[in-house]
Amino acid sequence: MVISAVSTLALYCSRCGKIELHNVSRFAIHNAECQLICSCGQIQGTISGAGRHQYLLDIPCVVCETNHLIFLDSKLFRQPKASKVYCAQANLELGFVGSPEAIAETIARHKQEVASLASELDDQLDDQGIENSQILLEILNRIHDIAEQGGVYCSCGNTEVDVDVLVDAVELSCSKCDGRLLISAKDEQDLARISAVGIIELAPLRRTSRK
């Protein structure tokens, strides 16, 4: 019987926005720290052994603006399904851990879901006859790219955000509180603004007290 000693970490890059796959040897990281570097050159973190059945992932978080130390059980690398790596404070998805096959299946499924959603939105925009449909579609794609990285959330802690397409804007709303955010989608400047951000945070509506 052949037992694979290679495990895979898939981490979202804070610089280029893509998900980078890191194949690491579990034998090697028990004896030395392994640096995880994105293909764009960004250092995404380090992983090292932390006992017989655990590994320590040191990973920067763009939301908390600090590094998180996350202990990973060795069982996570052998499970048939990929497990998510989270920032516990912001409930932000930082990546996945698992076997190479599990990671590949998870990424393929996510790409298919995004492509299907983009197609549905494109049909919806065409049906509505919106003139700036291309700008709207590109902004929607960017929002979903950010959401795929766990970067769309409400300040109440909820990550389940609803999206409504308006004539010249995209409205995001929190499914748990009154948090809302209106993103303009009129022209190329609006597209450039959303393309430059990596995090979209909704804020609950302030209620004024009556005397």
Side-chain angles (χ1 to χ4, degrees):
M1 180 175 65
V2 178
I3 300 176
S4 175
V6 176
S7 301
T8 301
L9 279 166
L11 301 177
Y12 293 110
C13 180
S14 59
R15 177 190 291 177
C16 68
K18 296 180 181 179
I19 188 164
E20 184 77 11
L21 300 182
H22 302 279
N23 293 320
V24 295
S25 168
R26 297 197 296 275
F27 294 142
I29 60 178
H30 264 303
N31 302 316
E33 184 178 82
C34 178
Q35 195 172 56
L36 308 172
I37 304 175
C38 180
S39 55
C40 73
Q42 176 76 1
I43 298 176
Q44 295 186 279
T46 60
I47 186 170
S48 58
R52 187 177 179 183
H53 299 294
Q54 280 192 323
Y55 304 94
L56 179 63
L57 178 63
D58 185 349
I59 183 171
C61 177
V62 294
V63 176
C64 301
E65 296 183 347
T66 186
N67 278 38
H68 294 311
L69 297 177
I70 302 173
F71 285 94
L72 302 174
D73 192 283
S74 61
K75 294 179 180 178
L76 295 176
F77 293 99
R78 301 190 298 271
Q79 290 181 346
K81 292 185 178 180
S83 298
K84 294 181 179 180
V85 178
Y86 279 104
C87 158
Q89 284 85 341
N91 195 30
L92 177 69
E93 186 178 298
L94 302 175
F96 305 92
V97 58
S99 67
E101 295 79 13
I103 295 294
E105 181 181 344
T106 299
I107 293 176
R109 184 173 64 252
H110 280 204
K111 287 182 178 179
Q112 184 177 5
E113 291 173 355
V114 172
S116 176
L117 181 57
S119 178
E120 291 177 7
L121 290 171
D122 196 11
D123 292 340
Q124 178 183 349
L125 294 175
D126 288 339
D127 291 342
Q128 293 177 357
I130 298 177
E131 294 182 359
N132 60 325
S133 60
Q134 186 59 38
I135 295 292
L136 267 169
L137 182 59
E138 291 186 32
I139 288 177
L140 282 167
N141 286 337
R142 176 55 185 160
I143 293 172
H144 284 290
D145 286 343
I146 298 172
E148 279 285 292
Q149 301 171 39
V152 179
Y153 54 88
C154 182
S155 59
C156 74
N158 181 37
T159 58
E160 296 180 6
V161 175
D162 297 323
V163 180
D164 290 322
V165 180
L166 307 180
V167 174
D168 56 2
V170 177
E171 185 179 46
L172 306 181
S173 58
C174 177
S175 60
K176 289 188 178 180
C177 71
D178 292 330
R180 291 183 182 275
L181 180 64
L182 194 66
I183 298 175
S184 179
K186 299 177 182 178
D187 49 37
E188 294 287 345
Q189 291 183 344
D190 291 333
L191 177 58
R193 276 191 288 268
I194 193 67
S195 298
V197 304
I199 297 171
I200 301 175
E201 181 178 359
L202 285 66
L205 294 176
R206 294 182 179 179
R207 299 182 182 275
T208 56
S209 58
R210 297 181 179 180
K211 295 184 179 180

